[in-house]
Amino acid sequence: MERIQVHDKIFRPLIPQEKIEAAIEALAGKINAEYRAETEPPLFIVILNGAFMFAAQLFKHLDFPCEICFVKLASYEGLHSQGSVRELIGLNAEFEGRKVVIVEDLVDTGRTVNYIRDKLLKSGASEVEVACLLLKAGAERAGFPIRFGAMEAGDEFIIGYGFDYNGLGRNLKDIYVIE
Amino acid sequence: MKKALLAIAALCMLHGCNDSSTVREINELNDLKDAKIAICTGTIFDKYTHEFFPDAETQYFSNYADIPIAIEGGLVDATLCDEPLARMLKKARPDLKFLPERLIEEQYAFIFSPENQELCDQFSECIREMKADGTIAELDEKWFMGDESVQTMPEPIKNPKGIIRHISTNTEPYAYLRNGKVVGFEIEIIQRAAAKLGYATESTVAYFNSLLSAVKSGKADIASSCIAITDERKESFAFTEPHYTGGVVVMTRKNNKVVKPGAASPINSIKDLEGKRAACLTGSAFQELTEPLVNNVQYMLYNDNILSLQALRTGKVEACLFDEPVARLYAAKFSDEFYLANTYRLENQVFAVKKGSPLTIGIDIEIMKLKRSGELDEFIAKWCGADESKKELVEWNHRKDFTGKNGTLRFIADPVLEPVCYMGKDGQYMGLDIELMRRIAYEMDMFFDFQPVSFGNLLECIASDKADVAGGALVYTDERKEKVDMTVSYYQGGLSILARKDESEISLSQLHGKKIGVVSGTTSDQIVEKQFPDSKPIFFNAFSDIPIALESGKIDAFINVEHEVRKLAKTNPRIRVLPEKVATYDCAFLFSPKEKELCEEFSLAIRQMKADGTMEKLEHKWILSEDTTQTVTPAIEDAPRGVLRYATSGDIEPFTYIRDGQLVGYDMDVAQNIANRLGYALEPVILNWSGYLDAVVSGMVRFGVGATAVTEERKQKMLFSEPTYTASLVAVVNASSTSKVRESKQALANAWKSLSESFERTFIRESRWKLILEGLKVTIIITLLSTIFGTILAFGVCAMRRSKNRLLLHTAKIYIALMQGMPILVMLMILYYIVFAKANIDAVLVAVTGFSLNFAAYVGEMFRSGLNGIPKGQMDAALSLGFSRMAAFRKVIFPQIILRIMPVYRGEFVSMFKMTSVVGYIAIQDLTKMSDIIRSRTYEAFFPLIATAIIYFVTAHLLAYSLTYLEHRLNPKNSKRK
């Protein structure tokens, strides 16, 4: 694999696609074991944009029927913003009394997933778990255990496989790190 | 229909609306899940709404015509209605739309009696043909979208072989009376089909419930009127091929646009500024950037955002142009007064770093990481939000390996832009940019240092390496990119319009945290608790005390049933009923559970009375009319089914009350009407409230009535009939907060209260007096230093001016002319921004230099005139007495000069002290600037300005007095002779 340039910065390969996908497959196995036997399968909530590639790969390996919903977390909506409320946009599935799995690209400080988790639990979800592609060392700050992490992540800035640098690079099939 | 529309337009005047920016957008059925849905009482849509959207908030309207206005005005988000009606409404009211998805799909067809199956089949065949050849589609277009000129009916056929009798309701555009003829979409289909079969038609209109029986009894051959095909109906009727697919749809606003009825053309986009006045910050590019976009705007320039805001508040301008985060902050902080109308220019906010600096890449990465972790969003929410208590800089400690080994990140910005970068609590610099950059420094293992620099010098400082990073709502431009490196954007801002909410938009949300008056023991008490948990209910025993309490300012609002409030509002112009209803509840007859049969009989009668308009008449008679001579409908004689004893409280006007010894009221009349229909005589038992309920439950009476609200709790013990009345609770506030009718005493008390609040805000809160003291210190330092240096310099100027050397003389003359002819502010700015631009000297020193130079010119001239006034002979005399030249000046001449010039000198000194108030222009935080800073936090102009004026006044006089004292001491007449 070669170095690439995104905007004005150079990135070198860090994790090749095969390795990422193997990790995701392993994670899918864990999720299958957990939920396969459930009478009502959990609702998967994918947090856009970053998690799209991870989610696509993950769901290919889940062997029970999945209900999937894609949402975006925005700190304000459009131009007519008032106040500063962080909202989940696009959450239109019924999740009251259900188990929910948040599908996130990266859990860093865990604050975002914690925020979403709180919101879902308050709105009636019976249980909320998080599945993420990369789990950072500081993620224990989330205040609850993250049970489904595919890989560990360091502190370096990465792009590719859903991660961007200033809008570009999400489509790269491998994960790169800044030089 | 036109009349109906006129009525709708008239109703516009009665409705206000919610705050425009929190109105939600409905684009699919799912959006309705928790929306506010309007329901017309008594329609099938009530059931559908609860069935399909059990979590939605519902609001009941008694008249369907009110609902479209409520939707447009933002009071509710949507309503369910028949698809054809939705189409008509959409045509008449372009701000409405309906969702293409149908909640329920229904096929409309014509019905025949089963005996007429053959004719029915022939009709079906014709309809199929008309569908196939596009006739139906054509007619649809003609009757739904066209106007009267195209809506002509085909000529009747000649020599028909028979007449088909048709019956329909009067429903535009299906079948309706126009100029005495029945016309419409369905009429034309029927007429065309009949013509094909060789028949003429004869159409009549009737009520819906008589259509079916007319067909069944053979009085009509065919019936139409959006008759949906149902299995139940199929059993008794023959249906033709359906000619229309209708159903139930969701009606909502178009483009989420809220029309504000009664408001003077609201501002929602940049184009709406045309012909209006807009406040701009002096020196900003707002006017320049806005001018190409909209014509005929009067730009009013203000020196700071707070003055602009004040101008907007007092109506001097209609809108303010602000940086997006600023507008967003104000809209959040003062959501009662202002709204963010539009952001019309999007811009990326970035940081500037020296060209080629390695910091850029690090900052880029950290910004991206903070974006990724969601923390950046949190920072933005925190600083742009209304919650002041959260706005503190956080100390981070999650990095165990922090050493600061990478040095110090020197960050600069102009701290005048709340919430991006400003001086907040305790004079601390804070804001989104400061917090973000502090965090970035921390992540990069660097210490953080902030220096305030005026906006115009930021890039200069970065280029000359006086600082590492510049921020403060810096916007990416290609021109700037040539001078410095720009980081990735951390915030998408832009230019926004902040506008004032119309007064008619006072919404219920403003009652939160206010004192609300309620009558103790009524349902309004519970409702206040439920709907306004953070407000303070004030209990009154009688409703009559409440309006007075409102007027005298003891309470901010009160809540009561609408009909009482409306009556009050007619006679009391000082109160104002808020258009939004606080709550609605149903009233009904009350029965013991054993009286199930009677209850059902009553319910049926009520339903019938609703259908035939009796209830409406009674409502007009007793509740809406101002007449006070109404009487209850007389009882029938010799009621066949005997006497019904019932309980009522007799003390709730207009429902049950005693007038001229007679028990009258709406409920009494309804009861009498029902009894007459059912063949009963009535015998009332008047009981007080608690006794009344017991009497019903115990079976002492057959039923109870009297404005009794249907509640879940009561339903467990008792039976309720079909509701007889839907009561609404509304909120009432003072018509104007500065109501002139208030007693002057109260006004004085309020003024004193607000003054002491202002004092607290200006001086006490966040220890702001410290800022004032600091500012005063700076002002005094500048004044005293300038006086000392200026006076010393003045001796030189004076000497030069008296010099025989022509060069020195002329230099002094030019200098004095320059100083006297140039405004001190202009000179200060030249010194600061041009002469000392590159030198890294303190602005206070620049100010001292400027004022000293200015002071010297004036005082030098004073000295000269003082000196000239001393006769030359005095010097000669002193010299002849053996004084040295120096001693002669010091002991003889100088004291006289001082005495002569002192009054003028004192005046000049005081005038300089006051002139120092302009130093804020060169980034010095003196007394005036500090009061500006305080104003920028308290958002009020009056108190800080008056307080500053007083401080200047007192200080100036103290300083002048100390000079007078000096003068006194210097006067030889006052010194003790040795």
Side-chain angles (χ1 to χ4, degrees):
Chain A
M1 291 195 300
E2 288 179 355
R3 286 179 165 71
I4 52 154
Q5 181 171 358
V6 177
H7 287 299
D8 51 347
K9 306 212 168 26
I10 308 289
F11 295 82
R12 67 179 158 77
L14 183 70
I15 313 170
Q17 185 186 7
E18 304 74 52
K19 224 176 135 185
I20 302 168
E21 288 178 355
I24 296 175
E25 202 175 335
L27 176 68
K30 255 173 101 178
I31 296 178
N32 280 331
E34 176 85 24
Y35 295 106
R36 191 185 285 137
E38 297 268 337
T39 45
E40 192 183 24
L43 169 69
F44 289 90
I45 295 182
V46 182
I47 313 292
L48 294 175
N49 298 330
F52 79 101
M53 243 193 215
F54 163 56
Q57 191 61 27
L58 176 71
F59 291 126
K60 284 184 213 164
H61 296 289
L62 295 187
D63 55 12
F64 52 92
C66 295
E67 188 180 349
I68 307 163
C69 172
F70 295 88
V71 304
K72 215 168 172 163
L73 188 70
S75 68
Y76 60 96
E77 281 177 63
L79 297 178
H80 285 269
S81 64
Q82 185 178 31
S84 297
V85 195
R86 299 175 75 205
E87 284 288 354
L88 280 178
I89 302 173
L91 183 58
N92 51 13
E94 198 52 63
F95 56 84
E96 212 175 293
R98 287 182 70 178
K99 293 183 176 177
V100 175
V101 180
I102 301 171
V103 182
E104 185 44 313
D105 50 358
L106 166 81
V107 176
D108 183 339
T109 62
R111 301 236 292 258
T112 306
V113 284
N114 201 10
Y115 178 82
I116 301 171
R117 181 173 179 265
D118 271 0
K119 239 178 142 77
L120 294 173
L121 285 175
K122 268 185 201 145
S123 320
S126 69
E127 179 192 300
V128 179
E129 294 290 350
V130 174
C132 66
L133 176 62
L134 292 171
L135 192 57
K136 261 198 179 176
E140 69 277 1
R141 274 179 283 161
F144 65 97
I146 302 223
R147 291 181 47 209
F148 306 116
M151 291 185 285
E152 291 275 317
D155 206 31
E156 61 276 75
F157 182 73
I158 51 152
I159 63 165
Y161 214 82
F163 295 96
D164 74 315
Y165 166 59
N166 212 13
L168 299 185
R170 290 191 199 277
N171 58 319
L172 296 166
K173 61 182 174 32
D174 310 293
I175 289 181
Y176 293 76
V177 65
I178 193 149
E179 275 279 82
Chain B
M1 192 66 188
K2 274 180 189 148
K3 271 188 189 158
L5 288 178
L6 275 177
I8 289 170
L11 274 159
C12 288
M13 309 306 290
L14 294 173
H15 282 269
C17 80
N18 267 343
D19 123 45
S20 64
S21 31
T22 57
V23 161
R24 58 188 300 152
E25 200 162 345
I26 308 283
N27 287 322
E28 53 182 285
L29 291 181
N30 247 321
D31 295 342
L32 283 167
K33 257 195 332 204
D34 51 355
K36 225 178 184 183
I37 304 179
I39 300 171
C40 187
T41 318
T43 59
I44 184 77
F45 303 119
D46 193 343
K47 181 175 157 252
Y48 287 158
T49 306
H50 288 108
E51 212 168 87
F52 285 97
F53 311 107
D55 295 329
E57 201 185 331
T58 54
Q59 187 157 359
Y60 285 88
F61 287 78
S62 51
N63 186 347
Y64 209 97
D66 294 5
I67 295 179
I69 303 153
I71 295 175
E72 285 176 359
L75 285 174
V76 291
D77 299 309
T79 192
L80 304 191
C81 75
D82 276 322
E83 190 263 6
L85 179 66
R87 287 180 69 182
M88 290 306 292
L89 276 172
K90 193 183 141 205
K91 187 173 144 195
R93 305 185 72 86
D95 288 308
L96 296 180
K97 69 169 181 192
F98 61 91
L99 303 185
E101 259 173 290
R102 266 158 224 210
L103 222 50
I104 294 170
E105 196 172 290
E106 281 172 343
Q107 303 280 350
Y108 297 160
F110 306 123
I111 55 170
F112 285 84
S113 150
E115 285 92 21
N116 253 338
Q117 187 66 51
E118 203 192 317
L119 189 61
C120 182
D121 291 340
Q122 286 172 341
F123 255 83
S124 293
E125 190 47 46
C126 292
I127 291 165
R128 268 193 287 275
E129 271 173 39
M130 280 156 81
K131 268 188 188 168
D133 67 19
T135 312
I136 300 259
E138 227 176 86
L139 295 182
D140 183 292
E141 172 77 18
K142 169 175 163 182
W143 290 99
F144 280 93
M145 307 313 290
D147 55 34
E148 254 186 63
S149 64
V150 298
Q151 289 169 347
T152 51
M153 292 292 290
E155 286 298 319
I157 57 160
K158 283 168 191 146
N159 312 321
K161 60 179 176 190
I163 290 178
I164 293 179
R165 290 159 307 152
H166 162 233
I167 191 162
S168 163
T169 60
N170 190 31
T171 314
E172 196 181 357
Y174 290 89
Y176 60 105
L177 278 167
R178 198 176 65 196
N179 306 328
K181 273 188 182 160
V182 187
V183 298
F185 172 62
E186 287 185 334
I187 303 288
E188 187 164 0
I189 296 175
I190 291 172
Q191 203 172 320
R192 280 176 182 242
K196 248 185 206 167
L197 302 172
Y199 290 99
T201 55
E202 191 181 72
S203 294
T204 48
V205 293
Y207 286 122
F208 189 82
N209 44 14
S210 57
L211 297 184
L212 304 182
S213 43
V215 172
K216 213 164 200 181
S217 64
K219 284 190 182 125
D221 303 305
I222 179 170
S224 75
S225 186
C226 312
I227 302 174
I229 304 175
T230 64
D231 290 339
E232 202 188 331
R233 285 177 183 154
K234 266 188 183 164
E235 282 173 24
S236 358
F237 297 99
F239 275 95
T240 62
E241 167 82 9
H243 59 280
Y244 190 88
T245 306
V248 178
V249 291
V250 172
M251 183 77 156
T252 180
R253 271 178 302 277
K254 210 186 237 176
N255 311 327
N256 197 24
K257 192 176 148 201
V258 174
V259 181
K260 293 171 190 153
S265 54
I267 297 169
N268 283 319
S269 77
I270 182 73
K271 293 284 174 218
D272 295 334
L273 284 182
E274 197 169 324
K276 299 215 165 80
R277 293 163 301 178
C280 276
L281 192 64
T282 316
S284 69
F286 296 168
Q287 181 175 351
E288 191 188 320
L289 293 171
T290 313
E291 264 170 350
L293 303 173
V294 54
N295 298 321
N296 192 21
V297 178
Q298 196 183 342
Y299 295 93
M300 314 286 282
L301 298 179
Y302 290 91
N303 273 334
D304 62 49
N305 289 345
I306 303 307
L307 291 176
S308 303
L309 208 61
Q310 193 64 23
L312 182 62
R313 185 174 277 149
T314 52
K316 290 193 181 81
V317 294
E318 279 79 32
C320 287
L321 307 182
F322 284 135
D323 277 316
E324 194 265 355
V326 177
R328 196 170 154 190
L329 174 79
Y330 292 158
K333 257 190 160 152
F334 307 109
S335 56
D336 291 354
E337 290 180 83
F338 308 125
Y339 65 99
L340 202 164
N342 185 262
T343 297
Y344 56 97
R345 224 187 120 88
L346 288 178
E347 273 157 351
N348 287 317
Q349 286 183 14
V350 295
F351 293 111
V353 188
K354 192 180 179 198
K355 263 216 167 314
S357 162
L359 277 173
T360 319
I361 188 162
I363 295 171
D364 278 356
I365 299 302
E366 293 307 329
I367 291 174
M368 290 304 300
K369 280 186 181 171
L370 289 169
K371 266 190 196 175
R372 215 169 256 182
S373 72
E375 281 171 283
L376 184 56
D377 272 350
E378 284 177 19
F379 288 171
I380 292 169
K382 166 173 153 184
W383 293 102
C384 295
D387 190 349
E388 283 297 315
S389 64
K390 282 189 191 154
K391 295 185 185 176
E392 273 174 2
L393 294 178
V394 182
E395 290 302 327
W396 289 286
N397 53 10
H398 57 266
R399 281 189 60 152
K400 300 283 173 269
D401 56 343
F402 182 82
T403 54
K405 66 176 189 297
N406 293 333
T408 299
L409 191 148
R410 296 166 301 162
F411 180 55
I412 52 171
D414 200 355
V416 291
L417 197 68
E418 194 183 355
V420 177
C421 177
Y422 63 104
M423 190 188 260
K425 283 174 206 160
D426 306 325
Q428 199 185 10
Y429 292 114
M430 50 176 67
L432 171 65
D433 279 16
I434 297 209
E435 170 142 68
L436 177 58
M437 201 34 90
R438 274 183 79 210
R439 174 59 184 270
I440 290 171
Y442 179 73
E443 294 293 342
M444 290 166 72
D445 212 351
M446 293 176 89
F447 292 114
F448 177 79
D449 173 61
F450 173 75
Q451 285 300 323
V453 169
S454 62
F455 196 83
N457 295 340
L458 288 177
L459 298 191
E460 209 47 53
C461 285
I462 293 295
S464 60
D465 212 14
K466 280 182 185 163
D468 301 313
V469 184
L474 266 184
V475 165
Y476 181 96
T477 65
D478 289 333
E479 195 188 341
R480 286 180 182 157
K481 179 83 185 162
E482 279 172 23
K483 278 194 205 159
V484 289
D485 277 349
M486 297 282 188
T487 64
V488 295
S489 170
Y490 62 95
Y491 184 84
Q492 189 167 56
L495 289 190
S496 296
I497 306 169
L498 189 77
R500 191 176 50 246
K501 283 186 180 171
D502 192 86
E503 232 200 285
S504 66
E505 289 171 50
I506 299 176
S507 70
L508 288 179
S509 62
Q510 278 168 270
L511 297 183
H512 288 286
K514 297 275 167 64
K515 284 182 277 184
I516 302 177
V518 289
V519 183
S520 32
T522 58
T523 29
S524 48
D525 152 21
Q526 292 159 21
I527 281 164
V528 168
E529 203 172 292
K530 204 173 124 204
Q531 295 214 5
F532 308 102
D534 47 355
S535 68
K536 199 174 150 198
I538 310 271
F539 295 98
F540 290 83
N541 285 325
F543 174 62
S544 55
D545 298 338
I546 297 184
I548 302 159
L550 178 69
E551 280 175 40
S552 64
K554 286 198 186 83
I555 52 173
D556 301 305
F558 68 82
I559 285 174
N560 209 323
V561 281
E562 189 176 14
H563 55 86
E564 278 195 44
V565 165
R566 296 261 176 236
K567 269 191 186 161
L568 182 71
K570 272 184 197 148
T571 55
N572 189 342
R574 300 175 297 278
I575 62 164
R576 197 185 136 88
V577 185
L578 297 191
E580 233 176 309
K581 291 189 170 60
V582 178
T584 57
Y585 61 89
D586 285 332
C587 296
F589 285 81
L590 193 63
F591 296 86
S592 125
K594 290 172 214 147
E595 296 282 6
K596 199 169 175 215
E597 239 168 74
L598 187 64
C599 177
E600 273 167 13
E601 265 190 272
F602 265 60
S603 294
L604 186 67
I606 294 165
R607 273 195 290 275
Q608 282 169 357
M609 281 160 68
K610 273 184 186 166
D612 67 17
T614 311
M615 295 298 273
E616 205 180 321
K617 270 186 216 146
L618 292 176
E619 189 180 333
H620 270 277
K621 177 173 163 187
W622 292 98
I623 298 169
L624 303 174
S625 151
E626 283 168 62
D627 186 17
T628 53
T629 57
Q630 321 91 320
T631 50
V632 174
T633 315
I636 47 164
E637 282 170 28
D638 304 325
R641 298 177 68 185
V643 178
L644 282 180
R645 264 160 66 88
Y646 73 98
T648 188
S649 61
D651 58 356
I652 307 170
E653 193 182 346
F655 294 94
T656 164
Y657 62 108
I658 295 168
R659 195 181 59 209
D660 305 330
Q662 296 281 315
L663 186 62
V664 293
Y666 172 78
D667 282 340
M668 301 302 103
D669 213 346
V670 173
Q672 193 60 60
N673 269 281
I674 296 171
N676 290 352
R677 277 170 195 243
L678 301 178
Y680 286 111
L682 289 178
E683 187 193 326
V685 179
I686 297 177
L687 290 165
N688 69 14
W689 183 250
S690 54
Y692 156 74
L693 294 178
D694 290 342
V696 174
V697 177
S698 66
M700 193 183 115
V701 291
R702 302 288 301 275
F703 69 91
V705 67
T708 314
V710 181
T711 66
E712 285 306 315
E713 199 189 326
R714 289 179 185 155
K715 267 190 190 166
Q716 288 173 6
K717 284 187 283 180
M718 298 171 233
L719 290 177
F720 279 101
S721 69
E722 174 87 17
T724 51
Y725 182 71
T726 303
S728 312
L729 287 178
V730 289
V732 182
V733 295
N734 257 320
S736 150
S737 53
T738 54
S739 182
K740 286 181 195 114
V741 294
R742 272 189 205 174
E743 285 170 39
S744 54
K745 233 188 207 172
Q746 188 63 40
L748 210 67
N750 280 354
W752 177 247
K753 195 176 153 215
S754 79
L755 210 65
S756 59
E757 273 170 12
S758 291
F759 181 84
E760 194 271 337
R761 267 202 297 276
T762 308
F763 291 115
I764 315 289
R765 200 176 294 176
E766 297 177 7
S767 305
R768 288 186 182 134
W769 56 273
K770 282 187 190 160
L771 294 182
I772 299 264
L773 269 192
E774 246 167 67
L776 185 63
K777 199 171 87 189
V778 170
T779 297
I780 290 177
I781 285 174
I782 293 175
T783 310
L784 291 184
L785 286 181
S786 305
T787 309
I788 293 166
F789 291 125
T791 309
I792 294 169
L793 206 59
F795 286 117
V797 173
C798 177
M800 278 166 80
R801 187 71 180 72
R802 287 167 63 87
S803 166
K804 303 231 164 59
N805 183 325
R806 288 174 73 89
L807 179 69
L808 287 180
L809 175 69
H810 284 289
T811 312
K813 272 187 174 174
I814 292 170
Y815 168 73
I816 291 166
L818 263 179
M819 288 300 137
Q820 289 182 341
M822 186 162 44
I824 181 75
L825 174 59
V826 177
M827 188 181 68
L828 281 181
M829 288 174 40
I830 290 174
L831 284 178
Y832 186 73
Y833 291 112
I834 300 167
V835 180
F836 297 118
K838 299 272 152 102
N840 195 5
I841 68 166
D842 196 295
V844 173
L845 284 183
V846 176
V848 169
T849 312
F851 280 105
S852 300
L853 287 173
N854 187 272
F855 194 65
Y858 285 93
V859 175
E861 284 295 90
M862 274 178 220
F863 282 159
R864 193 170 66 90
S865 60
L867 213 53
N868 286 346
I870 311 273
K872 219 172 171 269
Q874 291 210 15
M875 187 58 151
D876 296 339
L879 289 175
S880 69
L881 283 172
F883 279 93
S884 69
R885 228 184 145 76
M886 196 57 206
F889 180 79
R890 201 165 60 84
K891 299 251 178 186
V892 180
I893 311 293
F894 186 64
Q896 292 188 69
I897 299 177
I898 293 294
L899 282 185
R900 273 164 193 261
I901 67 164
M902 209 52 189
V904 198
Y905 182 82
R906 192 170 59 224
E908 188 59 33
F909 169 75
V910 170
S911 129
M912 183 175 70
F913 169 71
K914 291 186 293 181
M915 268 197 298
T916 58
S917 61
V918 300
V919 296
Y921 276 89
I922 56 168
I924 297 175
Q925 276 138 11
D926 72 319
L927 183 56
T928 307
K929 185 74 182 180
M930 283 302 188
S931 89
D932 276 351
I933 289 170
I934 291 174
R935 277 194 303 130
S936 78
R937 303 273 302 147
T938 62
Y939 300 97
E940 58 181 311
F942 173 75
F943 198 84
L945 284 180
I946 297 292
T948 312
I950 293 171
I951 294 170
Y952 268 108
F953 179 82
V954 171
T955 316
H957 277 265
L958 281 179
L959 288 174
Y961 180 78
S962 59
L963 273 189
T964 313
Y965 178 73
L966 197 70
E967 185 186 338
H968 184 78
R969 288 290 303 273
L970 284 173
N971 193 334
K973 283 179 194 159
N974 297 325
S975 56
K976 286 177 194 153
R977 288 178 191 276
K978 283 171 193 164

